[in-house]
Amino acid sequence: MEYVDFVSVIEREVNTRLEGGVSAKVNKVLKNNGTWKQNITLKRAGCSTAPAIYLEEFYDSFCRGNSIDCVVEELLHFYDTLEPTPELNLDFLSDYTTVQQKILPKLINREKNIVLLKNVPFVPWKDLAIVFYILLDISEDGMATVLVRNRNMQDWNVTIQDIFEAAMRNGPCLLPAELLSITDLIEELEERREKRSRSLLERNNDSRHVKDEMLVLTNQFRNFGAVCITYPCMMEMIAKLLGDSYYILPSSVHEMIVVPARCGIGLDEFAEMICEINATRVEAEEVLSEHPYYYDRKKGELSL
């Protein structure tokens, strides 16, 4: 069964089993890098919000030999394990005085998002683009966000510069940057650490704490953290901590890898490494760039 047919069958079968005023609807969503995905929302009558469950993993389950009935049961069981979606009052979105305090930046690939960028305000950053989103809710389970679109900017009667300045104020406060050794981050992700590693940025720019040649720059929630490199004075702070110029490897939209220039690896080798990782380990919608960047400490300049 092709994916498009699978989605239709799942929507029909889920609706036949739902009770208590809950209904299922399939939605096609344009994600980052021009990637289209389909999710299913299970919405209770009278509620303004509903969890969105993406269907690719359930299709994989079907392709591995599980029946439609089994996949539907898996989906409904997953739905039952989700925390109830909080009711969000979105009236504040029309009031820029309030909403400006929740605007945050996100770094994406400019070339891969040509269609999206026609409809949203953005600021070029080298060959990438800084777009903006409104933070509605955040928890250990994830973030609820709304992308800022051109129509929002018109309704608020503000400029791109206004939005950019708000995002640069809010980012370091709401989603503080963290610079971690790659070893510490791997252990954290593998849950071998009881608590999160302490960021090197919290250690008073003392280069004695820098033991690994590869460091990871992200944010406190490990979500959309690559944009931390654009935070005010961030590149200068990293150079001071390392005591060296450095390469920036765009690992994904969620993090950047920072490597001191003294490591002895060249741009071509880094470019090969990035392309291989993007092709084998990074989801298409999370790819940020295909090449490294270089920050010259003496000149205070970033180049491709």
Side-chain angles (χ1 to χ4, degrees):
M1 185 186 301
E2 295 297 323
Y3 181 67
V4 64
D5 300 318
F6 168 82
V7 170
S8 297
V9 171
I10 289 294
E11 181 179 26
R12 184 184 69 239
E13 292 299 317
V14 168
N15 272 311
T16 61
R17 304 187 192 198
L18 291 174
E19 299 175 347
V22 180
S23 62
K25 180 183 178 183
V26 168
N27 312 279
K28 191 175 182 181
V29 183
L30 176 61
K31 305 292 283 185
N32 191 43
N33 292 337
T35 303
W36 287 94
K37 283 196 169 184
Q38 288 182 295
N39 64 40
I40 187 167
T41 53
L42 282 72
K43 189 174 181 181
R44 192 173 300 279
C47 292
S48 60
T49 57
I53 302 172
Y54 285 89
L55 296 172
E56 284 78 11
E57 289 186 13
F58 294 98
Y59 183 60
D60 289 342
S61 175
F62 173 74
C63 290
R64 290 195 299 270
N66 290 318
S67 66
I68 287 291
D69 284 345
C70 181
V71 172
V72 170
E73 289 300 323
E74 287 178 4
L75 191 152
L76 292 176
H77 175 71
F78 178 70
Y79 171 72
D80 288 337
T81 65
L82 297 175
E83 292 291 330
T85 306
E87 283 294 303
L88 299 174
N89 185 350
L90 304 182
D91 293 342
F92 78 95
L93 293 180
S94 61
D95 178 14
Y96 185 71
T97 303
T98 302
V99 82
Q100 67 174 323
Q101 301 172 31
K102 297 180 178 291
I103 293 175
L104 290 166
K106 176 182 176 183
L107 198 58
I108 65 173
N109 186 289
R110 202 188 319 171
E111 184 178 348
K112 293 178 182 290
N113 288 282
I114 293 175
V115 174
L116 174 67
L117 294 177
K118 290 178 181 178
N119 300 301
V120 303
F122 71 94
V123 172
W125 193 84
K126 293 303 178 182
D127 59 328
L128 306 178
I130 301 173
V131 296
F132 310 97
Y133 63 93
I134 303 164
L135 183 63
L136 302 178
D137 189 42
I138 189 166
S139 70
E140 291 297 329
D141 295 325
M143 300 163 59
T145 66
V146 174
L147 188 66
V148 175
R149 298 187 176 273
N150 290 337
R151 63 175 179 267
N152 299 125
M153 189 171 63
Q154 294 165 1
D155 292 342
W156 297 331
N157 193 27
V158 297
T159 65
I160 292 178
Q161 186 63 26
D162 293 328
I163 296 174
F164 174 72
E165 290 176 1
M168 288 297 114
R169 286 195 305 270
N170 297 335
C173 297
L174 298 179
L175 294 176
E178 294 193 351
L179 186 65
L180 309 166
S181 76
I182 199 163
T183 302
D184 285 347
L185 184 61
I186 290 172
E187 289 184 358
E188 177 187 303
L189 294 175
E190 292 178 349
E191 299 181 347
R192 283 187 281 165
R193 287 180 176 269
E194 293 183 2
K195 60 181 181 179
R196 291 194 167 185
S197 309
R198 186 181 176 193
S199 170
L200 294 170
L201 297 173
E202 299 174 5
R203 302 183 182 182
N204 300 316
N205 288 327
D206 187 347
S207 60
R208 291 175 300 175
H209 294 289
V210 181
K211 297 179 181 179
D212 291 64
E213 288 295 286
M214 301 185 79
L215 304 175
V216 180
L217 180 68
T218 183
N219 61 33
Q220 190 176 31
F221 283 87
R222 317 295 189 246
N223 208 330
F224 303 153
V227 77
C228 292
I229 197 68
T230 71
Y231 284 1
C233 301
M234 180 56 64
M235 287 184 283
E236 295 87 344
M237 288 172 60
I238 294 173
K240 184 177 180 181
L241 179 66
L242 296 178
D244 197 3
S245 301
Y246 56 90
Y247 296 99
I248 302 170
L249 313 185
S251 176
S252 77
V253 295
H254 301 302
E255 67 277 314
M256 294 282 201
I257 294 176
V258 174
V259 186
R262 58 179 174 265
C263 73
I265 302 176
L267 285 171
D268 290 342
E269 292 174 87
F270 280 133
E272 286 184 19
M273 184 189 307
I274 293 168
C275 289
E276 180 180 351
I277 291 174
N278 284 347
T280 60
R281 300 186 184 181
V282 182
E283 295 288 337
E285 68 183 272
E286 296 184 348
V287 169
L288 182 55
S289 180
E290 303 289 345
H291 55 79
Y293 304 85
Y294 179 76
Y295 182 80
D296 189 306
R297 184 191 180 199
K298 292 182 178 179
K299 295 180 180 178
E301 295 179 354
L302 181 71
S303 59
L304 299 178

